[in-house]
Amino acid sequence: MKPVDFDYSAAETVDEALTQLSGADVKVMSGGQSLGPMLNLRLVRPSALVGLAATAALRRIEDASGAVTVGAAVRHAEFEDGKVPDPAGGMMQYVARGIAHRAVRTRGTIGGSLAHADPAADWVTTLTTLDAVLTLRGAAGSRDVPMTGFMQGAFTTALRDGEIIESIRIPKRSESVRWGYYKICRKVGEFAEAIGALVVDPGQRYCRVVMGATDGAPVVLDDFSRRLAAEGAAALSGLADTVRATLPDANPVSLRQHEVALRRAIQQVYPS
Amino acid sequence: MAKDGIGARVIRKEDERHLHGRGRFVSDIAMPGLSDVAFRRSAVAHGRIRGITKPAGLEDRVFTAADLTGVNPILANSGIPGFKTSNYPALATDKVRFVGECIAMCIAPTRAEAEDVAEAVGLDIEELPAVVDSLDARRPDSPLVHDEWGDNLFLTTAVNGDIDDLAKTAPVKVSRELNTGRQCMHPMEGKGVLAYWDFQAGQLVVYTSTQVPHMIRTGLSETLGLDQAKIRVIPPDVGGGFGYKCVLQPEEICVAWLAMTRRRPFRWIEDRREHLTAGANSREHHYKLTAYADERGRLLGLDAEVTVSVGAYSVWPFTACLEAAQAGGNLPGPYDFRVYRCKTFSVATNKPPFTPYRGVARPGVCFAIELMIDAIAREVGRDPMDVRAENLVQAAQMPYTNVTGKHYDSGDYPESLRMAAGLIDVAGVRKRQASGEPDGRRIGVGFSTFTEQSAHGTKVFASWGIPLVPGYEQATVRLTPDGSLEIRAGIHTIGQGLETTLSQVAVEELGIAFDAVRVTLGDTASTPYSTGAYASRGMVMAGGAVSRASIELARRIRRIAAHLMQCSEDSVELKDGAIYSGKASISFADVGKAWYLRPEQLPDNVDTMGLEVTEGYKPKVDSGVFTYSTHAAVVAVDEDTGQVELLDYAVVDDCGRMVNPMIVDGQLIGGAVQGIGTALFEESPYDVHGQPLASTLQDYTLPGAFEVPRMKMGHIESPSPYSAHGMKGVGEGGAIAPPGAIVNAINDALKDRGVELTRIPATPERILEALIRAEEKTASEAVA
């Protein structure tokens, strides 16, 4: 369980990273908490790795009026420790605290997690729920992609060859924001079997319920979100059907787990 | 009790080096010119090897079975009639029989480069249908793991009690089918072996992470065809074994062969993926049970069929029959009943061979019989705890010979149950259960009682006819010129604290200061032969040997001391770190100095035997001293998620005289954590092609700190009448009871839901699945 022979260099600037990424079979490492084991299992066989975890431009945190923007190399532990301004009622800090174990959180980065796009990871679901927008940067320049369009399937994203995530912009919610987050894991620190997440901001007329840890990208439950905003807890009666309709191929156990995760997340906002 | 002697909670001698990271494990050993070994392993569960191609230019870095001339396969036969032989080659020859089987050995300056070479080896393997499920493997149309056998049965055994009459008359009959998952045991350190040729000694030196160094020397000698005197096996620090490291491994043979033939140092350090897929398999049992009882739930008889999926090969020296033999023999457990029929099947499957794992078969049989006791209790409408208490062998019946002829030497089994019930406050739990939880979870309580045949010796192993039968365990004690004590024993310390507890025994017998004792274990060049650390035998056997050798050494010390003090030998007392006669005293150093450095002080008729003693020991009755125990679990089951939380957990144990109660607690807690893994988390599933689905620790779930409750400990000390100081073994017991106690508790919690779990691990998915099925059944009945 040792990696293939590869070169490694830490990029000091984004431009330097993009130059290095133009080589054949070059991969980005940003924290390495998923990539490390994959390298050791030789599931990934790069000729070179470009380290982004210490690239200064990717470690910036900006607190503007409408949004908090974080560089892709901001680590989970920095959210957990309150070093990132809070865009939405403390949700990101709460979620960060539950990512794997502290050892993983001190190295793993938000951009690394998003680019890896494991359906069972926390950030892909959370940032979909928060309607975040990613800024991707490649040799041709920058482009913005909303989280809802970024993850296209399990371990599949909108990133093009040679492109990296530069930053993530998370809209600030109003004082009235409330959120729920519930994940079902085999044990503490494991990847989730099911995640229920929602953000409700009456002040901004925003309500989004998301089902995470499915076989693919997190699913925004649009119709159900509208019903929930209108009816509150009464909408829960339609939850099981919504889950079943959304995951037609799932087995009964998985359906139940997703339903329960969503219900418990919703009940954090709408106690029934 | 001597200060720091038997019964003292002495801090372990081993702790300082380990807590400071200064232990020395195989992979810590550096050596000039050391090459790393990586194996190319089979990617298919069952196949015929048509060709192996060494990569061009790297031919001298790759070795296959064809290169291992003169190396014998591992041959582990049982003497039980009908046992079928499997040749387990160090590197596969004609067929591969499990995913992970070694096919080619590759060497390079580093492990990463050795893996590069291994990848480049070309394999042409014709894939064959795999034998995966042990019940399917018993069918006549099953593919064959070993073509020449005609079936897939290593061995079948039968105990033929007269159950048919009972079946006609017994008022209560309860039948169940139970399954225990295949597991992989997880010492923190995997296997590792480093070998080189010592030109000065003219010896092959093998550092290996093993529980049984002397046996490995014997095994290497047999497979390599090298005299035992030319092999030295040294076990460095060993980071846990649990049974995985008590068998001869193909990799050990391969690396030793390289060093023997190349006369250079080589090493192989197992990685966790190899560990999970290619080794350390255990536990997979299937039970078909029918219990007969009276109206009060008093067990009258048991009819059993046990199928064990032992994997592809028989392991040396414990063979492929150990598991089923233990299962059939121990299934009746601590219960008093007289009619027993049991058929066992040791089935070959295309999976890695079973290695003995802490408890050997008993976690499975304990789970099985304990679930049956609870099922009987529910059937007759009584509290399982009461039914259990009435069925246990009672204290007044001791010593008791059970239905399989096991001789239970001492103890009060029902008292262990009562104490465990008290520790978890069973009355309080029942009240809480009745009132319901605010969060809606369901509370359940479960118990599990078992006996643990520990330090079973010559008679038992001889009856299984295995290649190496343990006999007298030996130890050497030596007083040094400066009055300190050296203990040498061939058993090894693998985390169980033997450096400490053997010292305590010597302190007890010699009155010498604890800090003056040094212990050397395992090195075949400097310790007497031992079959090693397994079967909860270390303390009873090596402890007994140290006791006996120390008693003789004390006699010799008294003799010299009497001369030095000019008193009678009878008046000499060894205590508190010195040697006394009345008010006069001398030091141990005075005696050592007189013998070694100032012999002119001694009389002409001195005892010439000196101050070094080797003695052998086994208990008066060597069929085993029976530790027993009750575990109690309180669980909360979340019906929406199937998640189980252990709210409370108690362990009451009687291992006879405790040498170091702190170490006993450590053994019990550590074992119980593994048992929690067996009950709720750990499983190595295989797909229909025999592919292991848990190849990393992300797929194979071990319990972590969050999943383990703070355990409540209780002790009874009933000394064994047969062993030195009344000691009984305690190494394995903690791992035996948790599945029974925990699943009984889950079933207690869900009894009103019509759900009864019969398979471990009881994962949330399995619990949820059972609950959903029960819901659907209720719903369809309501419609009907």
Side-chain angles (χ1 to χ4, degrees):
Chain A
M1 239 170 48
K2 301 285 182 199
V4 297
D5 191 19
F6 64 87
D7 293 327
Y8 175 83
S9 61
E12 288 193 12
T13 66
V14 172
D15 286 335
E16 195 185 313
L18 294 176
T19 306
Q20 287 167 0
L21 270 174
S22 61
D25 299 322
V26 181
K27 293 278 292 180
V28 168
M29 180 178 262
S30 180
Q33 298 306 291
S34 296
L35 185 57
M38 291 170 74
L39 284 168
N40 283 340
L41 293 166
R42 299 195 171 191
L43 295 171
V44 182
R45 311 168 69 98
S47 63
L49 289 181
V50 182
L52 298 186
T55 308
L58 300 178
R59 305 231 345 103
R60 281 204 290 260
I61 298 168
E62 286 169 43
D63 187 2
S65 61
V68 172
T69 302
V70 297
V74 172
R75 294 185 281 266
H76 312 322
E78 294 174 86
F79 291 91
E80 178 183 18
D81 297 344
K83 291 178 180 158
V84 178
D86 170 38
M91 183 184 195
M92 292 188 79
Q93 187 173 13
Y94 173 88
V95 169
R97 199 181 298 149
I99 297 173
H101 297 279
R102 179 72 193 187
V104 170
R105 301 196 287 270
T106 54
R107 283 192 171 271
T109 64
I110 187 166
S113 175
L114 294 174
H116 181 53
D118 187 328
D122 292 270
W123 284 139
V124 287
T125 296
T126 305
L127 292 170
T128 301
T129 317
L130 288 167
D131 200 22
V133 175
L134 313 190
T135 299
L136 312 185
R137 174 96 178 268
S142 294
R143 61 186 179 117
D144 283 355
V145 176
M147 206 37 230
T148 44
F150 175 72
M151 187 170 162
Q152 299 171 339
F155 307 102
T156 312
T157 69
L159 279 168
R160 295 171 188 150
D161 277 352
E163 219 174 22
I164 63 168
I165 302 172
E166 188 170 46
S167 62
I168 301 105
R169 193 167 69 245
I170 306 121
K172 280 190 181 173
R173 297 296 160 191
S174 75
E175 291 280 303
S176 63
V177 70
R178 289 155 81 199
W179 54 269
Y181 192 84
Y182 193 90
K183 63 173 172 175
I184 293 175
C185 306
R186 191 71 183 79
K187 63 170 194 172
V188 173
E190 292 295 308
F191 278 101
E193 312 284 337
I195 298 176
L198 75 156
V199 171
V200 184
D201 187 350
Q204 295 182 351
R205 304 180 62 77
Y206 179 86
C207 176
R208 180 175 283 182
V209 182
V210 176
M211 177 160 60
T214 63
D215 290 342
V219 184
V220 179
L221 302 175
D222 281 321
D223 290 344
F224 185 82
S225 300
R226 272 190 292 278
R227 233 178 307 146
L228 187 68
E231 303 169 19
L236 281 170
S237 62
L239 182 62
D241 288 340
T242 301
V243 171
R244 224 180 346 263
T246 312
L247 302 174
D249 300 326
N251 65 48
V253 168
S254 180
L255 283 175
R256 179 67 57 92
Q257 288 172 327
H258 282 289
E259 182 195 333
V260 169
L262 282 163
R263 169 171 291 120
R264 290 187 177 178
I266 293 164
Q267 284 170 339
Q268 290 168 4
V269 178
Y270 300 98
S272 51
Chain B
M1 179 181 98
K3 179 179 177 295
D4 301 335
I6 291 175
R9 303 175 73 90
V10 186
I11 297 289
R12 303 198 312 173
K13 284 179 183 282
E14 294 89 338
D15 288 350
E16 191 179 357
R17 68 175 186 273
H18 288 311
L19 292 174
H20 287 99
R22 292 177 189 134
R24 185 170 179 252
F25 300 86
V26 171
S27 60
D28 294 321
I29 300 170
M31 206 166 274
L34 181 63
S35 291
D36 261 300
V37 172
F39 290 92
R40 178 65 185 271
R41 295 170 182 274
S42 178
V44 302
H46 195 194
R48 207 170 300 285
I49 300 175
R50 287 194 292 230
I52 306 171
T53 315
K54 296 182 184 180
L58 297 171
E59 290 85 352
D60 60 341
R61 307 262 212 101
V62 178
F63 304 88
T64 68
D67 299 307
L68 267 55
T69 47
V71 176
N72 300 311
I74 299 170
L75 197 56
N77 283 337
S78 159
I80 300 176
F83 183 84
K84 297 199 192 79
T85 296
S86 69
N87 277 331
Y88 186 3
L91 294 173
T93 51
D94 55 332
K95 265 172 97 174
V96 285
R97 295 186 175 85
F98 62 91
V99 172
E101 184 166 358
C102 296
I103 298 173
M105 167 167 59
C106 307
I107 58 174
T110 66
R111 172 65 182 247
E113 291 166 284
E115 290 186 18
D116 292 345
V117 179
E119 269 189 348
V121 173
L123 294 181
D124 179 9
I125 296 177
E126 175 196 354
E127 195 168 351
L128 301 169
V131 182
V132 181
D133 180 85
S134 60
L135 296 184
D136 291 345
R138 283 171 48 193
R139 292 178 205 271
D141 60 346
S142 171
L144 298 179
V145 178
H146 297 278
D147 302 325
E148 64 280 11
W149 287 7
D151 60 24
N152 285 314
L153 297 170
F154 273 107
L155 184 70
T156 57
T157 66
V159 178
N160 288 312
D162 189 7
I163 204 89
D164 294 328
D165 281 352
L166 183 63
K168 286 177 211 141
T169 56
V172 173
K173 174 184 169 186
V174 175
S175 294
R176 291 289 185 277
E177 210 171 322
L178 306 164
N179 286 284
T180 61
R182 199 173 191 84
Q183 264 190 262
C184 180
M185 68 196 93
H186 278 277
M188 287 179 75
E189 181 208 23
K191 285 284 302 176
V193 55
L194 180 154
Y196 70 98
W197 190 266
D198 180 337
F199 287 94
Q200 186 200 1
Q203 278 183 322
L204 171 69
V205 179
V206 181
Y207 284 92
T208 185
S209 181
T210 186
Q211 302 166 231
V212 292
H214 290 267
M215 284 209 295
I216 295 300
R217 181 165 76 150
T218 301
L220 287 175
S221 169
E222 286 180 11
T223 49
L224 296 176
L226 188 65
D227 292 347
Q228 296 202 29
K230 289 187 181 166
I231 303 174
R232 178 181 180 188
V233 174
I234 307 172
D237 270 321
V238 174
F242 308 128
Y244 183 39
K245 299 175 183 172
C246 73
V247 300
L248 180 66
Q249 306 277 349
E251 295 91 346
E252 280 172 327
I253 299 169
C254 288
V255 172
W257 176 84
L258 278 174
M260 179 180 81
T261 54
R262 267 65 193 160
R263 306 270 156 136
R264 292 198 284 120
F266 294 90
R267 72 169 186 182
W268 167 71
I269 307 298
E270 181 184 61
D271 68 33
R272 205 45 79 167
R273 195 181 203 197
E274 293 177 298
H275 181 90
L276 271 160
T277 55
N281 272 225
S282 200
R283 296 280 196 257
E284 187 181 1
H285 294 189
H286 171 269
Y287 294 88
K288 253 171 91 173
L289 301 176
T290 299
Y292 299 97
D294 69 13
E295 293 88 345
R296 287 183 57 75
R298 189 80 170 78
L299 192 58
L300 302 172
L302 185 67
D303 193 6
E305 187 186 295
V306 186
T307 305
V308 180
S309 173
V310 290
Y313 298 106
S314 180
V315 296
W316 190 92
F318 292 106
T319 80
C321 80
L322 177 72
E323 189 85 5
Q326 288 265 51
N330 286 294
L331 185 56
Y335 297 108
D336 174 26
F337 66 93
R338 305 310 315 176
V339 186
Y340 179 54
R341 183 165 71 184
C342 179
K343 196 151 193 204
T344 74
F345 299 85
S346 300
V347 181
T349 45
N350 288 119
K351 296 178 183 177
F354 254 42
T355 41
Y357 176 22
R358 198 175 198 173
V360 184
R362 288 161 292 183
V365 296
C366 176
F367 167 74
I369 191 75
E370 291 305 299
L371 258 68
M372 292 306 281
I373 296 290
D374 274 38
I376 292 167
R378 281 193 294 274
E379 185 72 24
V380 300
R382 295 184 66 207
D383 189 307
M385 193 176 78
D386 300 335
V387 171
R388 182 169 280 100
E390 286 177 18
N391 275 303
L392 287 169
V393 172
Q394 305 295 306
Q397 293 173 279
M398 289 293 173
Y400 173 91
T401 301
N402 89 339
V403 65
T404 59
K406 296 207 181 290
H407 183 74
Y408 298 165
D409 54 292
S410 57
D412 186 342
Y413 298 178
E415 176 62 13
S416 73
L417 177 62
R418 281 189 288 274
M419 281 173 66
L423 285 173
I424 59 157
D425 179 23
V426 71
V429 174
R430 289 285 179 217
K431 215 190 256 168
R432 179 174 168 184
Q433 189 178 35
S435 61
E437 290 296 287
D439 63 8
R441 293 189 298 175
R442 284 178 183 257
I443 303 289
V445 59
F447 295 92
S448 175
T449 306
F450 67 94
T451 62
E452 184 195 358
Q453 185 177 16
S454 66
H456 32 311
T458 311
K459 202 167 143 191
V460 180
F461 282 94
S463 76
W464 295 331
I466 72 165
L468 280 188
V469 175
Y472 285 88
E473 185 77 12
Q474 291 176 307
T476 300
V477 294
R478 175 164 74 187
L479 195 72
T480 62
D482 64 352
S484 51
L485 186 79
E486 292 173 338
I487 297 175
R488 294 173 188 276
I491 198 158
H492 199 49
T493 181
I494 52 171
Q496 78 282 50
L498 276 176
E499 289 172 29
T500 305
T501 44
L502 293 180
S503 299
Q504 289 182 255
V505 171
V507 167
E508 184 74 24
E509 306 292 8
L510 286 162
I512 201 164
F514 179 75
D515 288 340
V517 185
R518 281 282 315 132
V519 181
T520 301
L521 298 172
D523 185 340
T524 61
S526 57
T527 64
Y529 199 95
S530 163
T531 57
Y534 58 92
S536 301
R537 66 191 295 278
M539 205 55 237
V540 177
M541 301 301 297
V546 168
S547 164
R548 185 167 285 190
S550 297
I551 289 168
E552 170 59 17
L553 180 63
R555 189 188 68 75
R556 297 185 195 174
I557 290 172
R558 268 199 299 273
R559 192 144 189 204
I560 293 173
H563 176 75
L564 295 178
M565 290 194 282
Q566 292 298 302
C567 63
S568 75
E569 274 177 56
D570 296 345
S571 73
V572 177
E573 263 189 291
L574 312 183
K575 62 177 186 186
D576 306 333
I579 300 166
Y580 293 87
S581 175
K583 286 197 176 128
S585 78
I586 57 173
S587 67
F588 283 94
D590 293 330
V591 171
K593 196 170 157 192
W595 171 256
Y596 294 105
L597 309 177
R598 302 294 305 275
E600 75 275 14
Q601 295 178 354
L602 300 174
D604 292 340
N605 66 345
V606 64
D607 180 347
T608 58
M609 296 290 282
L611 296 174
E612 179 167 343
V613 179
T614 301
E615 275 279 4
Y617 169 84
K618 66 178 189 175
K620 279 179 277 189
V621 173
D622 70 2
S623 56
V625 283
F626 280 80
T627 295
Y628 63 94
S629 181
T630 296
H631 290 209
V634 183
V635 302
V637 183
D638 184 330
E639 289 178 278
D640 288 336
T641 63
Q643 300 270 4
V644 174
E645 186 190 351
L646 289 171
L647 298 175
D648 204 1
Y649 201 91
V651 177
V652 175
D653 188 84
D654 183 350
C655 62
R657 192 75 199 284
M658 289 188 281
V659 175
N660 185 325
M662 192 161 58
I663 288 179
V664 169
D665 280 350
Q667 287 287 317
L668 292 171
I669 293 168
V673 172
Q674 286 182 311
I676 290 169
T678 304
L680 296 173
F681 295 99
E682 297 181 40
E683 186 169 24
S684 293
Y686 282 74
D687 73 8
V688 292
H689 307 294
Q691 290 292 329
L693 301 179
S695 63
T696 71
L697 287 176
Q698 190 166 310
D699 312 309
Y700 189 93
T701 314
L702 292 161
F706 289 100
E707 287 73 42
V708 176
R710 189 171 188 87
M711 294 182 193
K712 296 172 174 169
M713 312 302 291
H715 298 286
I716 303 170
E717 276 191 277
S718 316
S720 168
Y722 305 130
S723 65
H725 296 284
M727 299 183 285
K728 304 174 188 172
V730 72
E732 298 170 275
I736 294 174
I742 291 168
V743 177
N744 275 339
I746 294 170
N747 287 341
D748 182 57
L750 299 178
K751 61 180 184 287
D752 299 335
R753 296 290 311 270
V755 167
E756 185 182 313
L757 291 166
T758 55
R759 181 185 284 270
I760 46 175
T763 59
E765 288 75 17
R766 287 195 174 120
I767 293 172
L768 206 48
E769 200 180 353
L771 282 162
I772 292 170
R773 222 180 303 124
E775 275 170 31
E776 284 166 355
K777 194 169 158 231
T778 313
S780 69
E781 280 167 5
V783 172

